[in-house]
Amino acid sequence: MIDHTHNPAALSWVASANEEGSEFPLQNLPYGLFRRAGSNENARVGIAIGDQILDTKIAAAAGKWSSAVSVLLQPLADGDLNAFMAQPAAQRRLLRHALFEALSAGSPQEAALRAALLPQAQAQMAVPCRIGDYTDFYTGIHHATTVGKLFRPDNPLLPNYKWVPIGYHGRSSSIGVSGGTVRRPLGQLKSPDAEVPGFSACKRLDYELELGAFVAAGNALGEPIPMAQADEHLFGLTLLNDWSARDVQAWEYQPLGPFLAKNFGSTISPWIVSMEALEPFRIAFEHPASDPQPLPYLDSAKNRAEGGYDIELEVWLQTESMRAKGEPATRLMRSNFRHAYWTLAQMLTHHASNGCNLQPGDLLGTGTLSGPDAAEGGSLLELSMGGKQDLRLPNGETRKFLQDGDTVILRGYAQREGARRIGFGDCSATIVAAPALS
Amino acid sequence: MIDHTHNPAALSWVASANEEGSEFPLQNLPYGLFRRAGSNENARVGIAIGDQILDTKIAAAAGKWSSAVSVLLQPLADGDLNAFMAQPAAQRRLLRHALFEALSAGSPQEAALRAALLPQAQAQMAVPCRIGDYTDFYTGIHHATTVGKLFRPDNPLLPNYKWVPIGYHGRSSSIGVSGGTVRRPLGQLKSPDAEVPGFSACKRLDYELELGAFVAAGNALGEPIPMAQADEHLFGLTLLNDWSARDVQAWEYQPLGPFLAKNFGSTISPWIVSMEALEPFRIAFEHPASDPQPLPYLDSAKNRAEGGYDIELEVWLQTESMRAKGEPATRLMRSNFRHAYWTLAQMLTHHASNGCNLQPGDLLGTGTLSGPDAAEGGSLLELSMGGKQDLRLPNGETRKFLQDGDTVILRGYAQREGARRIGFGDCSATIVAAPALS
């Protein structure tokens, strides 16, 4: 639903939010968990606005809020985003509207709320909520096709792909927030020509460009969520890097799927951009007429009319040598979420279709969001054609897979004529060396 | 380590614990989470003893305990088993010893602790701890072979099976405790001869007989757990029923593994039997000389000497008609955990070998624990030979897969000469009809 909070002309009294390239204008208002850097204070939820964070703990006390809004702010001030995620969509919209008023240019709240701002540069971000279960889907059909071709040149997509939103359960304990490191994993590796496997540091370490959708209110065990209600159960999106050890994956994944190839770490961007903020970027979504149409339980007129989201996605790389020389990161690719084969609503409804109970704060990864062109691969596996071809960087370095010291940065934004650009903030992490073999 | 708490002659002042067939003698002392049935009180941890539960909340206040033991009892009284699971093994042993003394015949604590007993029949049990992540392994080689034969008659075991303790991540939100119901899932089904899939109630609903191991203290992200330390990180075992929708599984599982075929529900027995209680039942564990020997990171002298556990396992079935006529459940099969291809220590060390961080309360399923004989299959898929052959029940009913109203009961116990028999308590749940198709 488009309303006055999407008006591109609306300005904030936080000047940096009004700057042309700001990722966090007044129209965005994403949620994150933070404490002041270097402090031991309890983390609380903040709202990104320009280059600042509105501290809900201070704002709840200092601002003037209706009693209904105060009730919604309380769990945020206590650092419990899950409690807010569990609220009905109308309540979530109520808080968005209250924050929008309070941060709008000319708001009588400005004087009281100035003291609730902290520069983002002075904040230490954390994983924004308790992620009970993490599920990763496989909706990037161009990724699935390219990767499938490496194994089955004549038949890259399996017969179920265009019927089933394929997904699997991932590891929630090892999900970290942007800005940290990821340790290269040890693992069992077996090259195709070796007689027996060995155990050593992963040699084919990769990233995967994904979006992560957070679940809002959940469903009771045994009670599916129909398509008509799916949007109500979606809270917002982050960028998600699903780090992958390709050599571990190739040896371990039959017959039960990826395990140690993935669960050594996943990285998300710190700010959850709400579904409300993304309303202006909804787009029509239909499978080509030559493809099977979704089974009725995955179909709805609303999904066809506006189930998709137009979100630009990019992967950037800064090697250790670039960092040492003060050279900026280089962009490896661009893609867009519109290329996914299934919508967020379809993923969520499929997930709950067997009665599986989703809970507030659960994370649903989209799978690698590659574009249709070879240069739009969302992983090095794709860009290096399965490790067969070097990717040449502007500074002359080459990569087939990641090296220690490489920083991978995912970026995303939504923009169109007549709307303010909505950013996601960086999703970044740096590879560090594997532990010594004991 | 065998000590006086394993002395089979030791008796309790709780008379029912001394009865020949008791699952919960003084030597067991398993942990569970309970409240009085019908009450809204906060759940707390209890210790099963005979047909009673020692309520740690009352016992902490009424008993006489050293200050070290009091500190350990406090989180249990607060219902937080995870905090206790995180303690070092020496602390966990300290509490076992204190409980053993306090419940021993002749203990001066008897008078004070009698008031802390609640009959198990008056308790409502809950999932005993917060399960952050649930991982299911595939260590039942006879299960893997039988199921593999259904798909690949000439090559049932994949090349990685005898090298990699195969596992995948499962769903933690839908794990329930014994005594409840499991709703038959809806799902996408496609019979091999159908052109396109449909969406309907699962027709091939099955159970899987497993053990579940709970993680004690965890490891930091990026820091593997060597085999030498694996035992320290294991807290205890329950029975685990990994309900499976075989028709959903067949259509969805390529290439990323089981998803909706499994995550509609898993059931565990309410009592976590501690690794300390199972010490007398450790057994030597080696792969046949004709098989590959474990890679060094999965090998240790201790694992070879005593990595296995001799635990008898059974599946019982009571159909709706049997229940209506007052007929008891019938035993479908027997097996033993000794037939697993990998030990608990190997599963845990493999899981953390890439730096994946395990946390207190995480659940590691063993996979289906079938025995070597066809009659020892741990699932109906095996006993009905892939649904091709009816299983005839003593009352004349037949089953290929589960019907609505069927109650499946897993049972387990450890026994040998010179030790008290240690039981697990039933792991039971009843199938209820699928939701209506909308």
Side-chain angles (χ1 to χ4, degrees):
Chain A
M1 177 164 44
I2 301 288
D3 60 33
H4 65 283
T5 67
H6 303 102
N7 178 359
L11 297 177
S12 173
W13 52 262
V14 181
S16 58
N18 304 325
E19 286 169 19
E20 183 69 19
S22 174
E23 301 218 89
F24 307 115
L26 182 61
Q27 293 79 359
N28 193 342
L29 303 175
Y31 298 91
L33 193 69
F34 78 101
R35 55 171 60 86
R36 280 174 298 162
S39 79
N40 287 321
E41 63 194 11
N42 290 333
R44 58 264 195 175
V45 174
I47 316 294
I49 179 77
D51 60 8
Q52 305 288 309
I53 299 173
L54 181 75
D55 181 333
T56 58
K57 183 168 174 162
I58 301 176
K64 286 221 182 296
W65 311 100
S66 71
S67 58
V69 170
S70 288
V71 166
L72 295 173
L73 280 171
Q74 198 50 59
L76 302 183
D78 295 337
D80 183 5
L81 185 55
N82 296 69
F84 177 66
M85 297 168 117
Q87 294 293 322
Q91 296 297 99
R92 291 183 270 133
R93 205 175 305 119
L94 179 68
L95 182 63
R96 173 178 169 84
H97 286 197
L99 292 168
F100 182 91
E101 311 293 337
L103 291 167
S104 286
S107 164
Q109 299 245 57
E110 175 179 346
L113 293 184
R114 277 216 170 268
L117 293 184
L118 180 78
Q120 286 173 31
Q122 294 175 25
Q124 179 189 338
M125 304 304 297
V127 172
C129 61
R130 291 185 312 280
I131 302 172
D133 280 290
Y134 159 45
T135 301
D136 203 18
F137 283 88
Y138 197 53
T139 71
I141 187 169
H142 305 294
H143 172 76
T145 304
T146 306
V147 172
K149 268 184 194 156
L150 297 173
F151 297 101
R152 299 172 301 274
D154 299 331
N155 186 25
L157 276 188
L158 291 168
N160 56 14
Y161 189 87
K162 292 184 176 178
W163 295 98
V164 181
I166 296 290
Y168 68 103
H169 287 292
R171 180 86 194 172
S172 62
S173 73
S174 54
I175 298 172
V177 75
S178 179
T181 57
V182 169
R183 198 166 194 184
R184 181 181 298 273
L186 302 172
Q188 269 198 44
L189 315 177
K190 184 181 165 299
S191 55
D193 52 344
E195 288 254 323
V196 300
F199 185 76
S200 69
C202 163
K203 295 176 180 65
R204 293 163 69 99
L205 185 58
D206 203 356
Y207 57 81
E208 290 192 336
L209 170 65
E210 305 196 11
L211 282 166
F214 283 89
V215 173
N219 59 309
L221 186 62
E223 301 292 343
I225 300 173
M227 280 294 283
Q229 289 164 27
D231 279 355
E232 280 266 333
H233 291 270
L234 288 165
F235 181 79
L237 304 183
T238 59
L239 301 167
L240 167 63
N241 187 338
D242 181 33
W243 304 94
S244 298
R246 300 300 178 191
D247 36 12
V248 175
Q249 190 173 357
W251 173 232
E252 78 165 3
Y253 92 107
Q254 289 285 14
L256 299 180
F259 180 46
L260 299 194
K262 302 274 194 177
N263 65 11
F264 59 93
S266 310
T267 306
I268 57 174
S269 52
W271 298 105
I272 306 182
V273 176
S274 70
M275 300 317 295
E276 290 81 13
L278 293 167
E279 278 288 315
F281 308 99
R282 300 188 73 136
I283 50 176
F285 191 91
E286 292 203 56
H287 290 165
S290 56
D291 277 350
Q293 297 305 295
L295 290 176
Y297 81 102
L298 292 177
D299 194 19
S300 78
K302 186 179 187 204
N303 192 61
R304 276 175 265 134
E306 53 171 23
Y309 286 86
D310 179 4
I311 299 174
E312 285 288 312
L313 299 163
E314 303 176 346
V315 178
W316 296 68
L317 175 68
Q318 189 186 43
T319 67
E320 193 160 36
S321 140
M322 291 158 72
R323 196 159 47 249
K325 294 181 187 155
E327 295 169 9
T330 182
R331 192 172 64 203
L332 299 185
M333 60 76 76
R334 296 175 62 173
S335 179
N336 192 295
F337 184 36
R338 62 164 69 236
H339 300 306
Y341 196 78
W342 301 99
T343 65
L344 296 172
Q346 287 171 323
M347 288 181 233
L348 183 128
T349 289
H350 180 66
H351 201 322
S353 66
N354 67 343
C356 178
N357 55 329
L358 307 182
Q359 299 184 317
D362 284 350
L363 178 61
L364 313 182
T366 56
T368 309
L369 294 170
S370 306
D373 295 340
E376 293 170 339
S379 66
L380 284 176
L381 184 69
E382 290 157 271
L383 297 180
S384 73
M385 301 189 178
K388 292 196 193 74
Q389 189 169 301
D390 268 325
L391 190 71
R392 185 161 296 274
L393 307 180
N395 71 349
E397 286 185 276
T398 60
R399 286 291 181 280
K400 291 187 172 86
F401 292 99
L402 294 171
Q403 295 189 4
D404 294 348
D406 284 354
T407 300
V408 177
I409 308 152
L410 312 185
R411 289 181 179 147
Y413 54 90
Q415 66 181 8
R416 68 162 175 80
E417 280 290 309
R420 256 318 277 272
R421 182 178 188 272
I422 298 291
F424 279 77
D426 285 4
C427 176
S428 158
T430 302
I431 305 301
V432 297
L437 277 166
S438 56
Chain B
M1 177 165 43
I2 300 289
D3 59 33
H4 65 283
T5 66
H6 303 103
N7 178 358
L11 296 176
S12 173
W13 52 261
V14 180
S16 58
N18 304 326
E19 287 169 16
E20 183 70 21
S22 174
E23 301 218 88
F24 307 114
L26 182 60
Q27 293 79 357
N28 193 342
L29 304 176
Y31 298 91
L33 192 69
F34 79 102
R35 54 171 61 84
R36 279 174 298 164
S39 79
N40 287 322
E41 63 194 12
N42 290 332
R44 58 264 194 177
V45 175
I47 316 294
I49 178 77
D51 60 8
Q52 305 287 311
I53 298 173
L54 182 75
D55 181 332
T56 57
K57 184 172 173 156
I58 300 175
K64 285 221 182 298
W65 311 100
S66 71
S67 60
V69 169
S70 288
V71 167
L72 295 173
L73 280 171
Q74 197 51 60
L76 303 182
D78 295 337
D80 183 5
L81 185 56
N82 297 70
F84 177 66
M85 297 169 116
Q87 295 293 321
Q91 296 297 100
R92 291 183 269 133
R93 205 176 305 119
L94 179 69
L95 182 63
R96 172 178 170 85
H97 286 198
L99 293 168
F100 182 90
E101 310 293 336
L103 291 166
S104 285
S107 164
Q109 299 245 56
E110 175 177 347
L113 293 184
R114 277 217 171 269
L117 292 184
L118 180 78
Q120 286 173 31
Q122 294 174 26
Q124 178 189 339
M125 305 303 296
V127 172
C129 61
R130 290 184 314 280
I131 302 172
D133 280 289
Y134 159 43
T135 300
D136 203 17
F137 283 88
Y138 197 52
T139 70
I141 189 169
H142 304 294
H143 171 77
T145 304
T146 306
V147 172
K149 268 185 194 154
L150 296 172
F151 297 101
R152 299 171 302 274
D154 299 330
N155 184 25
L157 276 190
L158 292 169
N160 57 13
Y161 189 86
K162 291 185 175 177
W163 295 98
V164 181
I166 296 289
Y168 68 103
H169 287 291
R171 180 88 194 171
S172 63
S173 72
S174 54
I175 298 172
V177 76
S178 178
T181 58
V182 169
R183 197 166 193 184
R184 180 182 297 275
L186 302 171
Q188 270 198 42
L189 315 177
K190 184 181 164 297
S191 55
D193 52 342
E195 287 253 321
V196 300
F199 185 77
S200 68
C202 163
K203 295 176 179 66
R204 293 163 69 98
L205 185 57
D206 203 355
Y207 58 81
E208 289 192 337
L209 168 65
E210 305 196 12
L211 283 166
F214 283 90
V215 173
N219 59 310
L221 186 62
E223 301 291 343
I225 300 173
M227 281 294 284
Q229 289 165 28
D231 279 355
E232 280 266 333
H233 292 271
L234 288 165
F235 181 79
L237 304 184
T238 59
L239 301 167
L240 167 64
N241 187 337
D242 180 34
W243 304 94
S244 298
R246 301 299 179 192
D247 36 11
V248 175
Q249 190 173 356
W251 173 232
E252 78 167 3
Y253 92 107
Q254 287 285 16
L256 299 180
F259 180 46
L260 300 193
K262 301 274 193 176
N263 66 10
F264 59 93
S266 311
T267 306
I268 57 174
S269 53
W271 298 104
I272 307 181
V273 176
S274 71
M275 300 317 295
E276 290 81 16
L278 294 167
E279 278 288 315
F281 309 99
R282 299 188 74 137
I283 50 175
F285 191 91
E286 292 202 57
H287 291 164
S290 55
D291 278 351
Q293 296 303 296
L295 290 177
Y297 81 103
L298 292 176
D299 194 20
S300 78
K302 186 178 187 204
N303 193 61
R304 276 174 266 133
E306 54 172 22
Y309 287 86
D310 180 3
I311 299 173
E312 285 288 313
L313 299 163
E314 303 176 346
V315 178
W316 296 69
L317 175 69
Q318 188 186 44
T319 68
E320 191 159 37
S321 141
M322 290 158 73
R323 197 161 45 250
K325 293 179 187 158
E327 295 169 9
T330 182
R331 193 173 64 205
L332 299 185
M333 60 77 76
R334 297 175 63 172
S335 178
N336 192 296
F337 184 35
R338 61 164 69 236
H339 301 306
Y341 196 78
W342 300 100
T343 64
L344 296 173
Q346 287 171 323
M347 287 180 234
L348 182 127
T349 289
H350 180 67
H351 201 324
S353 66
N354 68 344
C356 179
N357 55 330
L358 307 182
Q359 299 184 318
D362 284 350
L363 178 61
L364 312 183
T366 56
T368 308
L369 294 170
S370 305
D373 295 340
E376 293 171 338
S379 66
L380 285 175
L381 185 69
E382 291 156 271
L383 297 179
S384 73
M385 301 187 178
K388 292 195 191 76
Q389 190 169 300
D390 268 325
L391 190 72
R392 185 161 296 275
L393 307 179
N395 69 349
E397 287 185 277
T398 59
R399 287 291 181 279
K400 291 188 172 84
F401 293 98
L402 295 171
Q403 295 190 5
D404 294 347
D406 283 354
T407 299
V408 178
I409 308 152
L410 312 186
R411 289 178 180 150
Y413 54 90
Q415 67 181 9
R416 68 163 176 80
E417 280 290 309
R420 259 316 278 271
R421 183 179 189 270
I422 297 292
F424 279 78
D426 284 3
C427 176
S428 158
T430 302
I431 305 301
V432 297
L437 275 166
S438 55

